[in-house]
Every structure is written in structure tokens, then in C-alpha cells.
């Protein structure tokens, strides 16, 4: 049994992807980058009628994705699966919370991709780079945040290479954007994007995906 429609793109992740989507509406995209991508590509490719779904959940870590993967990924059988995850794994470690006692980001992410490729062998994988800026929640322990998230960025890039996934780089674009306007213009707290930050993400995603074999076509 599969979802009733062909899903062209499934967005997965934490609050950066969730962005207040309506859980009662299976097609609700929230108000962030997922909605912007769907709006732009949906408009440009209207004749093809692409379907976009958002299953991001605020607060999720990689292990949380794995726990709900059957119903929120495999059952939906998407043509393309886009994942942005990592900041909550880092958050719990930096802040010394019990959930961060062991850093399982790489092992959990690797296992998630293995399961995905086993059950969704024809699905195109899109791995988005986790990112931060130096303000708000990250400012006090910036060096620790930078070191940990930097390591996660390297992990995601390596996993993309190993699994044949498309890698969407975001940190460089945020760094460059922070030269144009202060960090809080792009992320409210160093982690969660503002409207401008979500627009940045959507533009990088579209440019990367639409110039790859995973591009959505008319």
C-alpha cells in the first residue's frame, strides 16, 4: 500500500523544515523553504502538476527520523527525498542535555540512508547541508557549535558521495549572505531562518536540484 498520489518531492527534517505546517492537512507545507520551492517549481511546471509533501517535525534529530520513517517516508514512496537534519543533534550535545550523551549523528544518518535505499531504491536522495550563523543561541559557545556542525557538514557531504545522493551546500551561501546584512537578518537565533533565510535556502536548493539528474521536468 502506498500514498494515494505520486509524490515528486518529500521534504524531511526538523523545525527548519516543519515551519508550522498543519498536521491535519497532508499537503500542508508550512511557511518556510519547502513552501517556497513548491511554489516556484509548481508555478513553473504547472502542466506537470508536481506534488510536494512536507513531513518535517520540530525538534527532531536523525534518530527521530528513523523512528517514524515507515509512515513518513517509505509509505509515501517519493520520487525525490530531501533531508535537512543535524542542528538538534548538535544542540543537545552543546547544551549538555541527556539526549546528547552520545553523538550518534553519523551512525544514525548512515543507517537511515541504508534503510531508505533498501526500501526506496528508485528514490532520488537530496541531502541538505546543516548550517549555523554566529548569533543568538550559537553565539555564547560559537567555537563549539562551529566545530560540531562543521563535522556534521563533512559527514553529510561524505554520506551523499557514498550513497549517490545529491548534496545541497548551504553554509557558504549563509556566510556570504551574512556579509550583506547582519546574521540575525538571515537567522533569528543562529539556527532558525528568517523569511530571507528561507528564501536563500530555496534558491540554493532549486539551483542545485534543477541542474542535476534529479531535476523536475515539465
Amino acid at each position: 500500500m502506498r500514498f494515494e498520489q505520486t509524490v515528486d518531492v518529500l521534504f524531511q527534517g526538523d523545525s527548519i523544515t516543519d515551519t508550522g505546517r498543519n498536521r491535519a492537512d497532508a499537503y500542508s507545507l508550512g511557511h518556510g523553504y519547502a513552501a517556497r520551492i513548491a511554489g516556484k517549481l509548481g508555478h513553473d511546471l504547472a502542466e506537470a502538476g508536481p506534488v510536494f509533501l512536507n513531513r518535517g517535525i520540530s525538534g527532531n534529530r536523525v534518530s527521530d527520523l528513523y523512528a517514524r520513517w515507515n509512515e513518513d517516508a517509505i509509505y509515501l514512496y517519493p520520487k525525490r527525498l530531501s533531508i535537512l537534519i543535524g542542528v538538534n543533534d548538535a544542540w543537545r550535545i552543546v547544551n549538555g542535555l541527556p539526549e546528547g550523551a552520545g553523538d550518534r549523528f553519523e551512525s544514525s544518518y548512515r543507517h537511515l540512508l541504508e534503510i531508505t535505499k533498501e526500501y526506496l531504491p528508485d528514490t532520488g536522495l537530496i541531502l541538505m547541508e546543516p548550517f549555523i550563523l554566529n548569533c543568538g543561541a550559537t553565539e555564547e559557545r560559537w567555537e563549539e557549535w562551529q566545530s560540531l556542525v562543521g563535522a556534521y557538514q563533512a559527514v553529510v557531504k561524505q554520506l551523499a558521495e557514498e550513497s549517490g545522493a545529491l548534496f545541497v551546500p548551504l553554509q557558504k551561501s549563509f556566510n556570504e549572505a551574512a556579509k550583506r546584512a547582519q546574521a540575525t537578518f538571515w537567522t533569528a537565533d543562529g539556527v532558525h531562518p528568517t523569511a530571507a533565510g528561507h528564501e536563500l535556502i530555496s534558491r540554493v536548493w532549486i539551483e542545485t536540484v534543477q541542474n542535476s539528474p534529479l531535476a523536475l521536468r515539465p
Side-chain angles (χ1 to χ4, degrees), residues 138-193:
T138 65
E139 195 169 11
E140 183 178 352
R141 301 178 181 176
W142 173 244
E143 291 186 0
E144 190 174 353
W145 270 101
Q146 194 173 35
S147 175
L148 187 54
V149 174
Y152 287 179
Q153 291 167 349
V155 165
V156 174
K157 186 174 183 180
Q158 178 62 35
L159 289 176
E161 293 174 357
E162 292 177 6
S163 62
L166 185 64
F167 177 72
V168 179
L170 292 172
Q171 187 65 60
K172 181 179 179 181
S173 292
F174 271 101
N175 291 344
E176 292 175 349
K179 297 175 183 178
R180 298 176 53 208
Q182 59 186 353
T184 51
F185 184 80
W186 305 100
T187 62
D189 55 4
V191 170
H192 297 94

Side-chain angles (χ1 to χ4, degrees), residues 3-186:
F3 193 66
E4 60 267 24
Q5 280 190 276
T6 297
V7 178
D8 291 278
V9 181
L10 169 63
F11 297 102
Q12 271 289 359
D14 50 38
S15 58
I16 300 171
T17 302
D18 184 335
T19 60
R21 65 183 177 86
N22 180 4
R23 300 289 195 279
D25 179 1
Y27 297 94
S28 175
L29 293 167
H31 58 260
Y33 75 87
R36 292 168 185 262
I37 292 169
K40 169 64 174 171
L41 295 182
H43 172 274
D44 293 350
L45 305 171
E47 291 77 8
V51 174
F52 301 86
L53 296 182
N54 182 352
R55 292 296 184 270
I57 294 183
S58 181
N60 268 193
R61 297 162 293 161
V62 179
S63 56
D64 297 309
L65 296 188
Y66 180 77
R68 59 185 178 83
W69 216 233
N70 274 343
E71 60 269 36
D72 283 348
I74 295 171
Y75 168 73
L76 301 175
Y77 211 79
K79 289 184 176 180
R80 300 165 190 81
L81 172 56
S82 178
I83 303 172
L84 174 56
I85 199 74
V87 69
N88 286 306
D89 294 79
W91 201 305
R92 284 154 175 77
I93 292 173
V94 172
N95 288 286
L97 299 178
E99 307 98 302
D103 188 350
R104 297 182 295 164
F105 179 79
E106 180 174 1
S107 60
S108 296
Y109 208 145
R110 186 182 301 279
H111 190 44
L112 184 76
L113 293 177
E114 290 172 351
I115 292 295
T116 303
K117 289 182 73 65
E118 178 181 353
Y119 287 97
L120 300 174
D122 298 322
T123 295
L125 298 176
I126 302 166
L127 307 188
M128 301 172 68
E129 181 182 41
F131 60 88
I132 51 172
L133 286 178
N134 188 1
C135 63
T138 65
E139 195 169 11
E140 183 178 352
R141 301 178 181 176
W142 173 244
E143 291 186 0
E144 190 174 353
W145 270 101
Q146 194 173 35
S147 175
L148 187 54
V149 174
Y152 287 179
Q153 291 167 349
V155 165
V156 174
K157 186 174 183 180
Q158 178 62 35
L159 289 176
E161 293 174 357
E162 292 177 6
S163 62
L166 185 64
F167 177 72
V168 179
L170 292 172
Q171 187 65 60
K172 181 179 179 181
S173 292
F174 271 101
N175 291 344
E176 292 175 349
K179 297 175 183 178
R180 298 176 53 208
Q182 59 186 353
T184 51
F185 184 80
W186 305 100

